């Protein structure tokens, strides 16, 4: 699993419930780094979901022929952060107005998405999208909301890429214009 920064072991005899959520927000290196900063998130794992190829490789997914999108599986403590809070955080770290791309990455493999794992998550995702549209802040939302399909972890060198390769990661993120576009859409929120 990705980084578990800040996670503490529960006191002896107490069990901590851990839940997962699956999001796609363009380059998985970037969205993984964003989510691992959120209190209550125990870690995020880069991977692939939403396609038809079993156990795809990065090369296959990046070629755009598997139907998969780069995604993350977030592990979180629901006592510290709720699924609706994760949704709110997700929206404010992507550009939901574009289809089949995020920032400089173009193609269906970079589409944004929320992949629900139960009816409560589906309802929360749709409600958060509808509220965002009703707010008038965005002209449209192209982010897909779909039932989760198998999540395939990406190769080890992609996990925690931002920590393992901070200079290359920072250069990529800045060069891709991710933070500038997010600030343009969302401001300081």
């Amino acid at each position: 699993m990705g980084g578990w920064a800040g996670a503490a072991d529960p006191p002896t005899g107490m069990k901590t419930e851990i839940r997962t959520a699956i999001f796609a927000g363009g380059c998985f290196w970037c969205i993984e780094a964003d989510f691992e900063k959120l209190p209550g998130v125990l870690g995020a794992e880069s991977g692939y979901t939403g396609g038809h190829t079993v156990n795809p490789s990065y090369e296959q997914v990046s070629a755009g022929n598997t139907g998969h999108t780069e995604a993350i599986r977030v592990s979180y403590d629901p006592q510290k952060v709720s699924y609706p809070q994760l949704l709110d955080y997700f929206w404010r770290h992507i550009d939901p107005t574009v289809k089949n791309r995020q920032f400089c990455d173009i193609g269906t493999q970079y589409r944004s998405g929320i992949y629900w794992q139960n009816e409560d998550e589906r309802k929360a995702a749709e409600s958060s999208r509808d509220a965002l549209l009703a707010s008038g802040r965005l002209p449209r939302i192209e982010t897909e909301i779909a039932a989760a399909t198998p999540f395939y972890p990406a190769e080890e060198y992609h996990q925690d890429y931002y920590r393992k390769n901070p200079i290359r990661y920072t250069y990529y993120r800045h060069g891709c214009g991710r933070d500038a576009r997010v600030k343009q859409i969302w401001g300081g929120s």
Side-chain angles (χ1 to χ4, degrees), residues 8 29 47-48 57 69 71 85 87 108 115 129 138 149 166:
W29 299 340
Y48 317 108
S57 69
T69 185
Q85 288 172 315
L87 290 167
T108 60
Y115 301 98
R129 176 202 57 208
L138 302 173
T149 60

Side-chain angles (χ1 to χ4, degrees), residues 139-172:
R140 70 190 165 286
I141 293 179
E142 298 289 345
T143 301
E144 74 179 351
I145 297 175
T149 60
F151 179 90
Y152 300 99
E155 296 80 354
E156 182 56 35
Y157 70 92
H158 288 298
Q159 307 302 331
D160 293 319
Y161 188 87
Y162 71 103
R163 291 179 197 205
K164 296 175 186 173
N165 300 285
I167 294 171
R168 291 180 79 188
Y169 168 75
T170 301
Y171 177 78
Y172 166 79

Side-chain angles (χ1 to χ4, degrees), residues 107-142:
T108 60
Q109 66 273 36
Y110 298 109
R111 69 189 182 272
S112 61
I114 300 167
Y115 301 98
W116 51 270
Q117 300 172 89
N118 58 53
E119 276 301 299
D120 288 341
E121 287 184 1
R122 180 189 66 77
K123 289 175 185 174
E126 290 174 354
S127 177
S128 72
R129 176 202 57 208
D130 295 348
L132 192 52
L133 279 171
S135 76
R137 184 170 196 144
L138 302 173
R140 70 190 165 286
I141 293 179
E142 298 289 345

Side-chain angles (χ1 to χ4, degrees), residues 70-83:
E70 287 192 11
I72 60 166
R73 180 169 49 195
V74 176
S75 295
Y76 67 100
D77 179 345
Q79 298 300 315
K80 296 181 180 175
V81 64
S82 69
Y83 188 75

Side-chain angles (χ1 to χ4, degrees), residues 29-88:
W29 299 340
C30 296
I31 199 78
E32 176 186 355
D34 289 341
F35 267 91
E36 287 189 346
K37 295 174 188 170
L38 182 63
V41 167
L42 304 173
E45 180 178 30
S46 291
Y48 317 108
T49 198
H52 50 78
T53 302
V54 175
N55 201 26
S57 69
Y58 176 74
E59 290 73 24
Q60 290 173 309
V61 173
S62 63
N65 300 320
T66 67
H68 289 289
T69 185
E70 287 192 11
I72 60 166
R73 180 169 49 195
V74 176
S75 295
Y76 67 100
D77 179 345
Q79 298 300 315
K80 296 181 180 175
V81 64
S82 69
Y83 188 75
Q85 288 172 315
L86 293 176
L87 290 167
D88 186 59

